[in-house]
Amino acid sequence: MATDNTQVLKIEKVFAEFLEELEKQPVSKQKAIEMQHLFLHTMEKAYKVNSSSHTDDARGSEEIVLDMDKLLRQHRSFSVKNLPDKAINWAAGLAYSGVGLLFITVGFLTIVTPTSAEFEIATLFYFNDHDGFTVLDAFALVVIFIGIFFFIKAFVAQDKKE
């Protein structure tokens, strides 16, 4: 019995030294798989330990590692495709509403700001002898309606995609 304990201790010491050496200087993946198969084959042969379940687990874990590596390589780089849909929708809504507000502001400023008669092109409808509805006012109203369209589209597009 004492001899068995010393042999077990000797084997454990050698195994611990082997693991320390592997940690100090790792081997290639292929070499590690070969060593694992050799170890399992020796255990099966010497001690009648069934290694089929261990081999299946090892192959399954290899596949998992390869799949994870593939996923990490695909998602490592930054791209617009990797952004969450909500962030893209939020940015698009913000852009649409900003453009809409800009168009509305420019349209109202065009109507309110006094301009020369040459710039107003022609008067389409007269309110009195000195004032009326001009081509520039019609253009400003079109710009305002385009701005309103963009502003409404910003909120409708967000609601639809969420």
Side-chain angles (χ1 to χ4, degrees):
M1 196 80 159
T3 352
D4 289 337
N5 278 341
T6 57
Q7 285 179 347
V8 169
L9 290 174
K10 185 178 177 183
I11 290 173
E12 285 180 356
K13 181 181 176 188
V14 170
F15 192 68
E17 289 174 2
F18 173 69
L19 291 177
E20 284 178 19
E21 287 297 319
L22 278 179
E23 287 177 1
K24 289 179 185 174
Q25 187 171 0
V27 295
S28 69
K29 184 177 179 180
Q30 185 62 31
K31 187 65 177 173
I33 292 171
E34 289 174 12
M35 292 168 77
Q36 179 185 16
H37 290 301
L38 181 63
F39 176 76
L40 291 174
H41 178 69
T42 304
M43 293 299 283
E44 182 180 338
K45 190 170 145 184
Y47 301 105
K48 307 291 187 236
V49 174
N50 188 4
S51 66
S52 63
S53 64
H54 297 295
T55 307
D56 292 340
D57 290 344
R59 286 186 188 139
S61 64
E62 275 182 52
E63 291 174 5
I64 290 172
V65 167
L66 291 175
D67 289 343
M68 288 297 291
D69 185 45
K70 182 179 176 184
L71 282 172
L72 285 173
R73 268 190 269 119
Q74 286 176 349
H75 296 289
R76 185 175 297 153
S77 62
F78 175 79
S79 71
V80 175
K81 292 179 184 176
N82 294 340
L83 288 176
D85 289 336
K86 285 190 175 190
I88 292 172
N89 292 342
W90 183 79
L94 187 65
Y96 275 128
S97 61
V99 168
L101 288 174
L102 180 70
F103 271 53
I104 292 169
T105 304
V106 167
F108 276 115
L109 285 176
T110 305
I111 290 174
V112 172
T113 321
T115 57
S116 65
E118 295 87 22
F119 194 65
E120 290 181 352
I121 302 174
T123 304
L124 302 174
F125 177 76
Y126 284 98
F127 299 125
N128 58 32
D129 291 340
H130 302 291
D131 195 19
F133 185 75
T134 63
V135 174
L136 185 63
D137 295 332
F139 175 73
L141 284 177
V142 169
V143 170
I144 291 171
F145 287 131
I146 291 172
I148 291 171
F149 170 76
F150 278 127
F151 192 74
I152 292 173
K153 183 176 176 156
F155 296 106
V156 171
Q158 276 187 338
D159 290 341
K160 190 188 306 182
K161 291 183 181 179
E162 286 181 3

Coordinates of all heavy atoms in Angstrom, one line a residue, residues 78-154:
F78 N -16.0 47.8 -36.7 CA -17.1 48.7 -36.5 C -17.7 49.0 -37.9 O -17.0 49.4 -38.8 CB -16.7 50.0 -35.9 CG -17.8 51.0 -35.8 CD1 -18.7 50.9 -34.8 CD2 -17.8 52.0 -36.7 CE1 -19.7 51.8 -34.7 CE2 -18.9 53.0 -36.6 CZ -19.8 52.9 -35.6
S79 N -19.0 48.9 -38.0 CA -19.7 49.3 -39.2 C -21.1 49.7 -38.9 O -21.6 49.4 -37.8 CB -19.7 48.1 -40.3 OG -20.6 47.1 -39.8
V80 N -21.7 50.3 -39.9 CA -23.1 50.8 -39.6 C -24.0 49.6 -39.5 O -25.0 49.7 -38.7 CB -23.5 51.7 -40.8 CG1 -25.0 52.1 -40.7 CG2 -22.6 52.9 -40.9
K81 N -23.7 48.5 -40.1 CA -24.6 47.3 -40.0 C -24.6 46.8 -38.6 O -25.5 46.1 -38.2 CB -24.0 46.2 -40.9 CG -24.2 46.5 -42.4 CD -23.7 45.4 -43.3 CE -23.8 45.8 -44.7 NZ -23.2 44.7 -45.6
N82 N -23.5 47.0 -37.8 CA -23.5 46.5 -36.4 C -24.2 47.4 -35.4 O -24.4 46.9 -34.3 CB -22.0 46.3 -36.0 CG -21.3 45.3 -36.8 OD1 -21.9 44.4 -37.4 ND2 -20.0 45.3 -36.8
L83 N -24.6 48.5 -35.8 CA -25.3 49.4 -34.9 C -26.7 48.9 -34.6 O -27.3 48.3 -35.5 CB -25.4 50.8 -35.4 CG -24.1 51.6 -35.5 CD1 -24.4 53.0 -36.1 CD2 -23.6 51.9 -34.1
P84 N -27.2 49.1 -33.5 CA -28.6 48.6 -33.2 C -29.6 49.4 -34.0 O -29.3 50.6 -34.4 CB -28.8 48.9 -31.7 CG -27.4 49.1 -31.2 CD -26.5 49.5 -32.3
D85 N -30.7 48.8 -34.4 CA -31.7 49.4 -35.2 C -32.3 50.7 -34.5 O -32.6 51.7 -35.2 CB -32.8 48.5 -35.5 CG -32.4 47.4 -36.5 OD1 -31.4 47.7 -37.3 OD2 -33.0 46.3 -36.5
K86 N -32.4 50.6 -33.2 CA -33.0 51.8 -32.5 C -32.1 53.0 -32.6 O -32.6 54.1 -32.8 CB -33.3 51.5 -31.1 CG -34.5 50.6 -30.9 CD -34.8 50.5 -29.4 CE -36.1 49.7 -29.3 NZ -36.7 49.7 -28.0
A87 N -30.8 52.8 -32.6 CA -29.8 53.9 -32.7 C -29.9 54.5 -34.1 O -29.9 55.8 -34.3 CB -28.4 53.5 -32.4
I88 N -30.0 53.7 -35.1 CA -30.1 54.2 -36.5 C -31.4 54.9 -36.7 O -31.4 56.0 -37.3 CB -30.0 53.0 -37.5 CG1 -28.6 52.4 -37.4 CG2 -30.3 53.4 -38.9 CD1 -28.4 51.2 -38.2
N89 N -32.5 54.4 -36.2 CA -33.8 55.0 -36.3 C -33.8 56.4 -35.6 O -34.4 57.4 -36.0 CB -34.9 54.2 -35.7 CG -35.2 52.9 -36.5 OD1 -34.8 52.9 -37.7 ND2 -35.8 52.0 -35.9
W90 N -33.2 56.4 -34.4 CA -33.1 57.7 -33.6 C -32.3 58.7 -34.4 O -32.7 59.9 -34.5 CB -32.5 57.4 -32.3 CG -32.4 58.6 -31.4 CD1 -33.4 59.1 -30.6 CD2 -31.3 59.4 -31.2 NE1 -33.0 60.2 -29.9 CE2 -31.6 60.4 -30.2 CE3 -29.9 59.4 -31.6 CZ2 -30.8 61.4 -29.8 CZ3 -29.1 60.4 -31.2 CH2 -29.5 61.4 -30.3
A91 N -31.2 58.3 -35.0 CA -30.3 59.3 -35.7 C -31.1 59.8 -37.0 O -31.0 60.9 -37.3 CB -29.0 58.6 -36.1
A92 N -31.8 58.9 -37.7 CA -32.5 59.3 -38.9 C -33.6 60.2 -38.5 O -33.9 61.2 -39.2 CB -33.1 58.0 -39.6
G93 N -34.3 59.9 -37.4 CA -35.4 60.8 -36.9 C -34.9 62.2 -36.6 O -35.5 63.2 -36.9
L94 N -33.8 62.2 -35.9 CA -33.1 63.5 -35.5 C -32.7 64.3 -36.8 O -33.0 65.5 -36.8 CB -31.9 63.2 -34.6 CG -31.3 64.4 -34.0 CD1 -32.2 65.1 -33.0 CD2 -30.0 64.0 -33.3
A95 N -32.2 63.6 -37.7 CA -31.8 64.3 -39.0 C -33.0 64.8 -39.7 O -33.0 66.0 -40.2 CB -31.0 63.3 -39.9
Y96 N -34.0 64.0 -39.9 CA -35.2 64.4 -40.6 C -35.9 65.6 -39.8 O -36.3 66.6 -40.5 CB -36.3 63.3 -40.7 CG -36.1 62.4 -41.8 CD1 -36.0 61.0 -41.7 CD2 -36.0 62.9 -43.1 CE1 -35.8 60.2 -42.7 CE2 -35.8 62.0 -44.2 CZ -35.7 60.7 -44.0 OH -35.5 59.9 -45.1
S97 N -36.0 65.6 -38.5 CA -36.6 66.7 -37.8 C -35.8 67.9 -37.9 O -36.3 69.0 -38.0 CB -36.9 66.3 -36.4 OG -35.7 66.0 -35.7
G98 N -34.4 67.8 -37.9 CA -33.5 68.9 -38.0 C -33.7 69.6 -39.4 O -33.8 70.8 -39.5
V99 N -33.7 68.8 -40.4 CA -33.9 69.3 -41.8 C -35.2 70.0 -41.9 O -35.4 71.0 -42.5 CB -33.7 68.2 -42.8 CG1 -34.1 68.7 -44.2 CG2 -32.2 67.8 -42.8
G100 N -36.3 69.3 -41.3 CA -37.6 69.9 -41.4 C -37.7 71.3 -40.7 O -38.2 72.2 -41.2
L101 N -37.1 71.4 -39.5 CA -37.1 72.7 -38.8 C -36.3 73.7 -39.6 O -36.7 74.9 -39.6 CB -36.6 72.5 -37.4 CG -37.5 71.7 -36.4 CD1 -36.7 71.5 -35.1 CD2 -38.7 72.5 -36.2
L102 N -35.2 73.3 -40.2 CA -34.4 74.3 -41.0 C -35.3 74.8 -42.1 O -35.3 76.0 -42.4 CB -33.2 73.6 -41.4 CG -32.2 74.4 -42.3 CD1 -31.6 75.5 -41.4 CD2 -31.2 73.6 -42.9
F103 N -35.9 73.9 -42.9 CA -36.7 74.3 -44.0 C -37.9 75.3 -43.5 O -38.2 76.3 -44.2 CB -37.3 73.1 -44.7 CG -36.4 72.5 -45.8 CD1 -35.1 72.2 -45.5 CD2 -36.9 72.3 -47.1 CE1 -34.3 71.7 -46.5 CE2 -36.1 71.8 -48.1 CZ -34.8 71.5 -47.8
I104 N -38.5 74.9 -42.4 CA -39.6 75.8 -41.9 C -39.1 77.1 -41.6 O -39.7 78.2 -41.9 CB -40.3 75.1 -40.7 CG1 -41.1 73.8 -41.2 CG2 -41.3 76.0 -40.0 CD1 -41.5 72.9 -40.1
T105 N -38.0 77.2 -40.9 CA -37.4 78.5 -40.5 C -37.0 79.3 -41.7 O -37.3 80.5 -41.8 CB -36.2 78.2 -39.6 OG1 -36.5 77.4 -38.5 CG2 -35.6 79.5 -39.1
V106 N -36.4 78.7 -42.7 CA -36.0 79.4 -43.9 C -37.2 79.9 -44.6 O -37.2 81.1 -45.1 CB -35.1 78.6 -44.8 CG1 -34.9 79.2 -46.2 CG2 -33.7 78.3 -44.2
G107 N -38.3 79.1 -44.7 CA -39.5 79.5 -45.4 C -40.1 80.7 -44.7 O -40.5 81.7 -45.4
F108 N -40.3 80.7 -43.4 CA -40.9 81.8 -42.7 C -40.0 83.1 -42.8 O -40.5 84.2 -42.9 CB -41.2 81.5 -41.2 CG -42.5 80.8 -41.0 CD1 -42.5 79.5 -40.6 CD2 -43.7 81.4 -41.3 CE1 -43.7 78.8 -40.4 CE2 -44.9 80.7 -41.2 CZ -44.9 79.4 -40.7
L109 N -38.7 82.9 -42.7 CA -37.8 84.1 -42.8 C -37.9 84.7 -44.2 O -37.8 85.9 -44.4 CB -36.4 83.7 -42.5 CG -36.0 83.5 -41.0 CD1 -34.6 83.0 -40.9 CD2 -36.2 84.8 -40.3
T110 N -38.1 83.9 -45.2 CA -38.2 84.4 -46.6 C -39.5 85.2 -46.7 O -39.6 86.2 -47.4 CB -38.3 83.2 -47.6 OG1 -37.1 82.4 -47.4 CG2 -38.3 83.7 -49.0
I111 N -40.6 84.8 -46.1 CA -41.8 85.5 -46.1 C -41.8 86.8 -45.3 O -42.2 87.9 -45.8 CB -43.0 84.6 -45.6 CG1 -43.3 83.5 -46.6 CG2 -44.3 85.5 -45.4 CD1 -44.3 82.5 -46.1
V112 N -41.2 86.8 -44.1 CA -41.2 87.9 -43.2 C -40.2 89.0 -43.6 O -40.4 90.2 -43.5 CB -40.9 87.4 -41.8 CG1 -40.7 88.6 -40.8 CG2 -42.0 86.5 -41.3
T113 N -39.0 88.6 -44.2 CA -38.0 89.5 -44.5 C -38.4 90.4 -45.7 O -38.8 89.9 -46.7 CB -36.7 88.8 -44.9 OG1 -36.5 87.7 -44.0 CG2 -35.5 89.7 -44.7
P114 N -38.3 91.7 -45.6 CA -38.6 92.5 -46.7 C -37.5 92.4 -47.8 O -36.3 92.3 -47.6 CB -38.6 94.0 -46.2 CG -37.8 93.9 -44.9 CD -37.9 92.5 -44.4
T115 N -38.0 92.3 -49.1 CA -37.1 92.2 -50.2 C -37.5 93.3 -51.3 O -38.5 93.9 -51.2 CB -37.2 90.8 -50.9 OG1 -38.6 90.6 -51.2 CG2 -36.7 89.7 -49.9
S116 N -36.6 93.4 -52.2 CA -36.8 94.4 -53.3 C -37.8 93.8 -54.3 O -38.1 92.6 -54.3 CB -35.5 94.8 -54.0 OG -35.0 93.6 -54.6
A117 N -38.4 94.7 -55.1 CA -39.4 94.2 -56.0 C -38.8 93.3 -57.1 O -39.5 92.4 -57.6 CB -40.0 95.5 -56.7
E118 N -37.5 93.5 -57.5 CA -36.9 92.7 -58.5 C -36.7 91.3 -58.0 O -36.8 90.3 -58.7 CB -35.5 93.2 -58.9 CG -35.6 94.6 -59.6 CD -35.6 95.7 -58.6 OE1 -35.1 95.5 -57.4 OE2 -36.0 96.8 -58.9
F119 N -36.5 91.1 -56.7 CA -36.3 89.8 -56.1 C -37.6 89.0 -55.9 O -37.6 87.8 -56.0 CB -35.5 89.9 -54.8 CG -35.0 88.6 -54.2 CD1 -33.9 88.0 -54.9 CD2 -35.5 88.1 -53.1 CE1 -33.4 86.8 -54.5 CE2 -34.9 86.9 -52.6 CZ -33.9 86.3 -53.3
E120 N -38.7 89.7 -55.8 CA -40.0 89.1 -55.6 C -40.6 88.6 -56.9 O -41.6 87.9 -56.9 CB -41.0 90.0 -54.9 CG -40.6 90.3 -53.5 CD -41.6 91.2 -52.8 OE1 -42.5 91.7 -53.4 OE2 -41.4 91.3 -51.5
I121 N -40.0 88.9 -58.0 CA -40.3 88.5 -59.4 C -41.6 89.1 -59.8 O -41.6 90.1 -60.6 CB -40.3 87.0 -59.6 CG1 -38.9 86.4 -59.2 CG2 -40.6 86.6 -61.0 CD1 -38.7 85.0 -59.2
A122 N -42.7 88.6 -59.4 CA -44.0 89.1 -59.8 C -45.1 88.9 -58.7 O -44.9 88.0 -57.9 CB -44.5 88.4 -61.1
T123 N -46.0 89.8 -58.7 CA -47.1 89.7 -57.7 C -48.2 88.9 -58.3 O -48.8 89.3 -59.4 CB -47.6 91.1 -57.3 OG1 -46.4 91.8 -56.8 CG2 -48.6 91.0 -56.2
L124 N -48.7 87.9 -57.7 CA -49.7 87.0 -58.2 C -51.1 87.5 -57.8 O -52.1 87.4 -58.5 CB -49.5 85.6 -57.7 CG -48.2 84.9 -58.1 CD1 -48.0 83.6 -57.5 CD2 -48.1 84.8 -59.6
F125 N -51.2 88.0 -56.5 CA -52.5 88.5 -56.0 C -52.2 89.7 -55.2 O -51.4 89.8 -54.3 CB -53.1 87.4 -55.1 CG -54.4 87.8 -54.5 CD1 -55.5 87.8 -55.2 CD2 -54.4 88.1 -53.1 CE1 -56.7 88.2 -54.6 CE2 -55.6 88.4 -52.5 CZ -56.7 88.5 -53.2
Y126 N -52.9 90.8 -55.5 CA -52.7 92.1 -54.8 C -53.7 92.2 -53.6 O -54.9 92.0 -53.7 CB -53.0 93.3 -55.7 CG -51.8 93.5 -56.7 CD1 -51.9 93.0 -58.0 CD2 -50.7 94.2 -56.3 CE1 -50.9 93.3 -58.8 CE2 -49.7 94.5 -57.1 CZ -49.7 94.0 -58.4 OH -48.7 94.2 -59.3
F127 N -53.2 92.6 -52.4 CA -54.0 92.9 -51.3 C -54.4 94.4 -51.3 O -55.5 94.7 -51.0 CB -53.3 92.6 -49.9 CG -52.9 91.2 -49.8 CD1 -51.6 90.8 -49.5 CD2 -53.8 90.2 -49.8 CE1 -51.2 89.5 -49.3 CE2 -53.5 88.8 -49.7 CZ -52.2 88.5 -49.4
N128 N -53.5 95.2 -51.7 CA -53.7 96.6 -51.9 C -52.7 97.1 -53.0 O -52.0 96.3 -53.6 CB -53.6 97.5 -50.6 CG -52.2 97.3 -49.9 OD1 -51.2 97.1 -50.6 ND2 -52.2 97.4 -48.6
D129 N -52.6 98.4 -53.2 CA -51.7 98.9 -54.2 C -50.2 98.6 -54.0 O -49.5 98.5 -54.9 CB -51.9 100.4 -54.4 CG -53.3 100.7 -54.9 OD1 -53.9 99.8 -55.6 OD2 -53.7 101.9 -54.8
H130 N -49.8 98.5 -52.7 CA -48.4 98.3 -52.4 C -48.0 96.9 -51.9 O -46.9 96.6 -51.6 CB -48.0 99.3 -51.4 CG -48.2 100.7 -51.8 ND1 -47.5 101.3 -52.8 CD2 -49.2 101.7 -51.4 CE1 -48.0 102.5 -53.0 NE2 -49.0 102.8 -52.2
D131 N -49.0 96.0 -51.7 CA -48.7 94.7 -51.1 C -49.6 93.6 -51.7 O -50.7 93.9 -52.2 CB -49.0 94.8 -49.6 CG -48.4 93.6 -48.8 OD1 -47.5 93.0 -49.4 OD2 -48.8 93.3 -47.7
G132 N -49.0 92.4 -51.8 CA -49.7 91.3 -52.4 C -48.9 90.0 -52.2 O -47.9 89.9 -51.5
F133 N -49.5 88.9 -52.8 CA -48.9 87.6 -52.7 C -48.0 87.4 -54.0 O -48.5 87.5 -55.1 CB -50.0 86.6 -52.7 CG -49.5 85.2 -52.5 CD1 -49.1 84.7 -51.3 CD2 -49.5 84.3 -53.6 CE1 -48.6 83.4 -51.1 CE2 -49.0 83.0 -53.4 CZ -48.6 82.5 -52.2
T134 N -46.6 87.2 -53.7 CA -45.7 87.2 -54.8 C -45.2 85.8 -55.1 O -45.5 84.8 -54.3 CB -44.5 88.1 -54.5 OG1 -43.8 87.5 -53.3 CG2 -44.9 89.5 -54.2
V135 N -44.4 85.6 -56.1 CA -43.8 84.3 -56.5 C -42.8 83.9 -55.4 O -42.8 82.7 -55.0 CB -43.1 84.4 -57.8 CG1 -42.3 83.2 -58.1 CG2 -44.1 84.7 -59.0
L136 N -42.1 84.8 -54.8 CA -41.2 84.5 -53.7 C -42.0 84.0 -52.5 O -41.6 83.0 -51.8 CB -40.4 85.7 -53.3 CG -39.4 85.5 -52.2 CD1 -38.3 84.6 -52.7 CD2 -38.7 86.8 -51.8
D137 N -43.2 84.5 -52.2 CA -44.0 84.0 -51.1 C -44.5 82.6 -51.4 O -44.6 81.7 -50.6 CB -45.3 84.9 -50.9 CG -44.9 86.3 -50.4 OD1 -43.8 86.4 -49.7 OD2 -45.6 87.2 -50.7
A138 N -44.9 82.3 -52.7 CA -45.3 80.9 -53.1 C -44.1 80.0 -52.9 O -44.3 78.8 -52.4 CB -45.8 81.0 -54.5
F139 N -42.9 80.4 -53.3 CA -41.7 79.5 -53.1 C -41.5 79.3 -51.6 O -41.2 78.1 -51.2 CB -40.5 80.2 -53.8 CG -39.2 79.5 -53.5 CD1 -38.9 78.3 -54.2 CD2 -38.3 80.0 -52.6 CE1 -37.8 77.7 -54.0 CE2 -37.1 79.3 -52.4 CZ -36.8 78.2 -53.1
A140 N -41.6 80.3 -50.8 CA -41.4 80.1 -49.4 C -42.5 79.2 -48.8 O -42.1 78.4 -47.9 CB -41.5 81.5 -48.7
L141 N -43.7 79.2 -49.2 CA -44.7 78.3 -48.7 C -44.4 76.9 -49.1 O -44.6 75.9 -48.4 CB -46.1 78.7 -49.3 CG -46.8 79.9 -48.5 CD1 -48.1 80.2 -49.2 CD2 -47.0 79.6 -47.1
V142 N -43.9 76.7 -50.3 CA -43.5 75.3 -50.8 C -42.3 74.8 -49.9 O -42.3 73.7 -49.4 CB -43.0 75.3 -52.3 CG1 -42.3 74.0 -52.7 CG2 -44.2 75.6 -53.2
V143 N -41.4 75.7 -49.6 CA -40.3 75.3 -48.7 C -40.8 75.0 -47.3 O -40.4 74.0 -46.7 CB -39.2 76.4 -48.6 CG1 -38.2 76.2 -47.5 CG2 -38.5 76.6 -49.9
I144 N -41.8 75.7 -46.8 CA -42.4 75.4 -45.5 C -43.1 74.1 -45.5 O -42.9 73.3 -44.6 CB -43.3 76.6 -45.1 CG1 -42.6 77.8 -44.7 CG2 -44.2 76.1 -43.9 CD1 -43.4 79.1 -44.5
F145 N -43.8 73.8 -46.5 CA -44.5 72.5 -46.6 C -43.6 71.3 -46.7 O -43.8 70.3 -46.1 CB -45.5 72.5 -47.8 CG -46.8 73.3 -47.6 CD1 -47.2 74.2 -48.5 CD2 -47.5 73.2 -46.4 CE1 -48.3 75.0 -48.3 CE2 -48.6 73.9 -46.1 CZ -49.0 74.8 -47.1
I146 N -42.5 71.5 -47.4 CA -41.4 70.5 -47.5 C -40.8 70.3 -46.1 O -40.6 69.1 -45.7 CB -40.3 70.8 -48.5 CG1 -40.9 70.8 -49.9 CG2 -39.1 69.9 -48.3 CD1 -39.9 71.3 -51.0
G147 N -40.6 71.3 -45.4 CA -40.1 71.2 -44.0 C -41.1 70.5 -43.1 O -40.7 69.7 -42.3
I148 N -42.4 70.8 -43.2 CA -43.4 70.1 -42.4 C -43.4 68.6 -42.8 O -43.5 67.8 -41.9 CB -44.8 70.8 -42.6 CG1 -44.8 72.2 -42.0 CG2 -45.9 69.9 -42.0 CD1 -46.0 73.0 -42.3
F149 N -43.3 68.3 -44.1 CA -43.2 66.9 -44.5 C -42.1 66.2 -43.8 O -42.2 65.1 -43.3 CB -43.1 66.8 -46.0 CG -42.8 65.5 -46.5 CD1 -43.8 64.5 -46.6 CD2 -41.5 65.1 -46.9 CE1 -43.6 63.2 -47.0 CE2 -41.3 63.8 -47.4 CZ -42.3 62.9 -47.4
F150 N -40.9 66.8 -43.9 CA -39.7 66.1 -43.2 C -39.9 66.0 -41.7 O -39.5 65.0 -41.1 CB -38.4 66.9 -43.5 CG -37.8 66.6 -44.8 CD1 -37.5 67.6 -45.7 CD2 -37.5 65.3 -45.2 CE1 -36.9 67.4 -47.0 CE2 -36.9 65.0 -46.4 CZ -36.6 66.1 -47.3
F151 N -40.4 67.0 -41.1 CA -40.6 67.0 -39.6 C -41.6 65.9 -39.2 O -41.4 65.1 -38.3 CB -41.1 68.3 -39.1 CG -41.1 68.5 -37.7 CD1 -39.9 68.7 -37.0 CD2 -42.2 68.4 -36.9 CE1 -39.8 68.8 -35.6 CE2 -42.2 68.5 -35.5 CZ -41.0 68.7 -34.9
I152 N -42.7 65.7 -40.0 CA -43.7 64.7 -39.7 C -43.1 63.3 -40.0 O -43.3 62.3 -39.3 CB -45.0 64.9 -40.5 CG1 -45.7 66.2 -39.9 CG2 -45.9 63.7 -40.4 CD1 -46.9 66.6 -40.7
K153 N -42.4 63.2 -41.1 CA -41.7 61.9 -41.5 C -40.8 61.4 -40.5 O -40.6 60.2 -40.3 CB -41.0 62.1 -42.9 CG -40.4 60.8 -43.4 CD -39.8 61.0 -44.7 CE -39.2 59.6 -45.1 NZ -39.0 59.4 -46.5
A154 N -40.1 62.3 -39.8 CA -39.2 61.9 -38.7 C -39.9 61.1 -37.6 O -39.4 60.1 -37.2 CB -38.5 63.1 -38.1

